[in-house]
């Protein structure tokens, strides 16, 4: 028996009502908006609590619709990547207002997978979204404190069995819902849009390429970040097995996508860039080889790691606050050499291949962003210590040095790119549309 598609062919019509947002909502702001939506649509919406954050926030899921098949939207899996809050806001309203999007489906929205850490990023949510402001107020949890890196991995290589309370809540959600589709909302820095899948879905890579080609945000070029990953189509890559994520370092567990696969769930990760630079999508020859570009990048990343390690060694004995920023900075210093080694290995494997302008641009900006991430969080950590009255000489001297180094890194970033932020409505349009494109294909393949 023929059955009409559950997701209409004309997905772009759902994107025309996206607001021209000026800022990203706070944790409380997004949850308040969703509570208002649920209260106005009591016949469709209900909340269920699945856990509690480490600081005591309830971890609740908003469910919309009464269909037999479940869709899970995972917001804020990485706390410094909050554009998904706007995607959750718009997509939840679309699902409420358009009955065809609920045909045989129930949508479930976890607004923030890690609300505690997201709150530590709220200083830059209202803008300006400059590279400097972002790194002034950035908090990226250490892997052991990061929800989407702490799912159990019980293989012998990279064995990991320390899921966080927030991770356990997502595990309960997946066990309860067994969704046909899980959509994990992420951001990247520069470059373009790219997607990760837990397994190949026939036709989906082509669908995503066609959709993204019509958007205001370009598709990412292949880069060292995805070197070695299987790709069913341009801009789409397959997750590596959980035991290979960190090369056996065992500081990382699996992701929600790895865990959801046991339930037959298809997981899509949409990586949407924050800043625009026209060179990021330029495929013309840069006049350099990939070996040169990423060999130099690897050297700079290693130097930044050594610098951060030296600064932390100076102040570590004087720290008193117990801030989670400590673990974050230490993990960056500790894992930096492995990242540099991976970049160098990729550079050697592609040594003589000409580097496109976009690849040269990514190779130039990435080490600067990594340095700013470490120095920005170190400055926050030291200023927090000083604010408590801990004015140890090592802290006072190091914060001055960190300020100077951070200023230099900001200047270096400015010489590479102006760092113009993408309009929020453009990045949300890509994320919302790609999710609907993926769900449509997944449902069609399931028929």
């Amino acid at each position: 028996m023929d059955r009409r598609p559950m997701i209409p062919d004309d997905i772009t019509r759902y994107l025309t009502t996206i607001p021209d947002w000026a800022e990203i909502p706070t944790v409380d702001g997004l949850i308040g908006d969703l509570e208002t939506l649920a209260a106005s649509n009591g016949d469709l919406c209900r909340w269920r609590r699945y856990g509690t954050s480490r600081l005591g926030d309830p971890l609740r899921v908003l469910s919309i619709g009464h269909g037999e098949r479940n869709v899970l939207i995972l917001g804020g899996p990485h706390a410094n990547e909050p554009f998904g809050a706007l995607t959750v806001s718009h997509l939840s309203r679309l699902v409420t207002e358009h009955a065809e999007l609920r045909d045989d489906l129930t949508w479930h929205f976890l607004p923030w997978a890690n609300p505690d850490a997201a709150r530590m990023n709220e200083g830059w949510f209202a803008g300006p979204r400059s590279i400097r402001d972002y790194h002034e107020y950035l908090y990226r949890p250490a892997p052991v404190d990061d929800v989407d890196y702490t799912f159990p991995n019980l293989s012998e290589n990279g064995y990991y069995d320390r899921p966080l309370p927030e991770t356990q809540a997502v595990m309960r959600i997946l066990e309860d819902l067994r969704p046909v589709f899980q959509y994990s909302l992420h951001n990247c820095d520069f470059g373009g849009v790219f997607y990760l899948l837990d397994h190949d879905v026939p036709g989906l890579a082509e669908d995503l390429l066609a959709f993204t080609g019509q958007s205001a945000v370009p598709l990412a070029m292949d880069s060292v970040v995805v070197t070695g990953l299987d790709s069913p189509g341009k801009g789409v890559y397959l997750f590596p097995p959980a035991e290979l994520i960190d090369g056996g370092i065992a500081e990382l567990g699996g992701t929600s996508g790895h865990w959801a696969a046991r339930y037959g769930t298809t997981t899509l990760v949409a990586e949407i860039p924050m800043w625009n630079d026209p060179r990021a999508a330029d495929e013309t020859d840069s006049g350099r080889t990939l070996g040169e570009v990423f060999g130099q990048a690897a050297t700079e990343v290693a130097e930044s790691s050594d610098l951060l390690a030296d600064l932390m060694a100076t102040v570590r004995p004087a720290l008193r606050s117990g801030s989670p920023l400590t673990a974050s900075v230490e993990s960056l210093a500790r894992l930096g050499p492995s990242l540099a080694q991976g970049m160098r290995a990729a550079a050697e494997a592609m040594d003589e291949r000409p580097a496109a302008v976009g690849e040269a641009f990514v190779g130039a900006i990435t080490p600067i962003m990594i340095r700013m991430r470490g120095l920005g969080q170190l400055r926050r950590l030291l200023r927090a210590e000083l604010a408590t009255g801990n004015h140890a000489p090592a802290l006072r001297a190091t914060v001055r040095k960190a300020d100077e180094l951070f200023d230099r890194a900001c200047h270096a970033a400015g010489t590479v790119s102006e760092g113009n932020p993408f309009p929020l409505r453009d990045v949300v349009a890509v994320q919302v549309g790609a999710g609907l494109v993926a769900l449509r294909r997944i449902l069609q393949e399931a028929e």
Side-chain angles (χ1 to χ4, degrees):
M1 181 177 65
D2 290 337
R3 194 183 192 284
R4 66 181 179 86
M6 298 179 191
I7 306 296
D9 289 335
D10 184 14
I11 283 174
T12 57
R13 69 188 177 95
Y14 297 115
L15 311 180
T16 60
T17 58
I18 294 178
D20 190 14
W21 289 292
E23 60 187 60
I24 301 163
T26 63
V27 173
D28 290 339
L30 175 59
I31 292 174
D33 289 345
L34 294 179
E35 288 177 338
T36 299
L37 178 70
S40 301
N41 297 274
D43 57 329
L44 293 175
C45 302
R46 62 256 176 224
W47 288 93
R48 180 174 177 184
R49 183 170 178 170
Y50 282 90
T52 307
S53 76
R54 280 160 286 174
L55 292 181
D57 263 10
L59 298 171
R60 299 183 300 156
V61 167
L62 174 63
S63 299
I64 304 175
H66 302 286
E68 293 185 3
R69 291 191 275 192
N70 294 312
V71 175
L72 175 62
I73 309 299
L74 188 63
H78 294 315
N80 63 311
E81 301 174 9
F83 288 0
L86 295 171
T87 298
V88 167
S89 176
H90 188 68
L91 192 52
S92 60
R93 290 190 176 277
L94 286 178
V95 171
T96 303
E97 295 169 359
H98 295 274
E100 70 274 11
L101 296 180
R102 306 190 305 272
D103 183 17
D104 195 36
L105 296 173
T106 302
W107 293 72
H108 307 270
F109 296 86
L110 179 62
W112 301 98
N114 191 348
D116 302 342
R119 293 180 195 280
M120 291 181 64
N121 281 277
E122 289 181 346
W124 65 271
F125 283 9
R129 287 181 291 116
S130 68
I131 296 175
R132 182 181 185 109
D133 280 282
Y134 171 73
H135 288 94
E136 289 264 15
Y137 299 101
L138 165 74
Y139 169 56
R140 172 64 177 239
V144 295
D145 294 324
D146 203 333
V147 173
D148 215 21
Y149 284 145
T150 51
F151 284 81
N153 167 26
L154 304 183
S155 66
E156 288 302 316
N157 183 36
Y159 187 92
Y160 193 93
D161 61 0
R162 302 183 298 280
L164 302 170
E166 295 89 345
T167 310
Q168 294 175 45
V170 178
M171 292 166 65
R172 285 191 286 272
I173 294 168
L174 291 168
E175 168 69 24
D176 182 37
L177 301 180
R178 299 174 180 247
V180 63
F181 177 48
Q182 176 185 222
Y183 193 22
S184 187
L185 307 178
H186 292 247
N187 311 136
C188 52
D189 292 339
F190 277 96
V193 180
F194 67 96
Y195 305 99
L196 294 165
L197 281 165
D198 70 301
H199 68 276
D200 186 19
V201 177
L204 179 52
E206 292 82 359
D207 291 349
L208 290 170
L209 176 60
F211 166 74
T212 310
Q214 303 172 25
S215 77
V217 185
L219 193 73
M221 299 178 61
D222 289 341
S223 73
V224 71
V225 175
V226 294
T227 297
L229 298 186
D230 292 335
S231 175
K234 186 175 181 180
V236 182
Y237 308 92
L238 303 183
F239 292 164
E243 62 269 22
L244 297 182
I245 288 179
D246 67 347
I249 296 173
E251 291 207 26
L252 303 178
T255 68
S256 61
H258 293 112
W259 194 259
R262 68 190 57 214
Y263 304 117
T265 301
T266 298
T267 295
L268 174 68
V269 170
E271 294 276 7
I272 313 296
M274 296 185 184
W275 295 285
N276 185 19
D277 192 293
R279 289 168 295 174
D282 188 340
E283 298 185 4
T284 58
D285 191 344
S286 69
R288 303 177 67 194
T289 68
L290 280 174
E292 293 171 342
V293 168
F294 289 110
Q296 179 179 339
T299 297
E300 293 176 6
V301 168
E303 290 173 350
S304 292
S305 176
D306 291 342
L307 172 65
L308 198 59
D310 290 344
L311 293 172
M312 277 301 293
T314 300
V315 301
R316 190 66 177 88
L319 297 178
R320 299 286 183 268
S321 69
S323 168
L325 286 161
T326 303
S328 180
V329 176
E330 289 181 333
S331 73
L332 283 171
R334 186 169 58 253
L335 298 178
S338 296
L339 175 60
Q341 182 180 358
M343 296 176 74
R344 190 169 287 111
E348 291 172 356
M350 301 180 290
D351 186 32
E352 297 303 319
R353 205 194 93 187
V357 169
E359 291 169 321
F361 168 73
V362 171
I365 196 67
T366 298
I368 300 173
M369 302 293 278
I370 291 173
R371 176 170 288 216
M372 291 181 72
R373 179 171 291 194
L375 290 171
Q377 292 186 99
L378 176 62
R379 293 170 75 238
R380 285 190 72 183
L381 170 63
L382 298 181
R383 290 185 186 284
E385 289 282 346
L386 295 173
T388 68
N390 181 6
H391 293 278
L395 300 183
R396 300 198 312 273
T398 304
V399 76
R400 289 193 294 270
K401 186 172 184 179
D403 284 345
E404 178 184 350
L405 293 169
F406 184 75
D407 286 341
R408 289 183 193 172
C410 290
H411 176 74
T415 63
V416 175
S417 178
E418 293 180 1
N420 296 316
F422 280 104
L424 291 172
R425 67 178 303 167
D426 289 348
V427 295
V428 173
V430 176
Q431 206 158 52
V432 170
L436 292 175
V437 165
L439 178 57
R440 181 179 63 195
R441 175 61 68 175
I442 290 165
L443 294 174
Q444 289 172 351
E445 289 298 313
E447 289 297 321

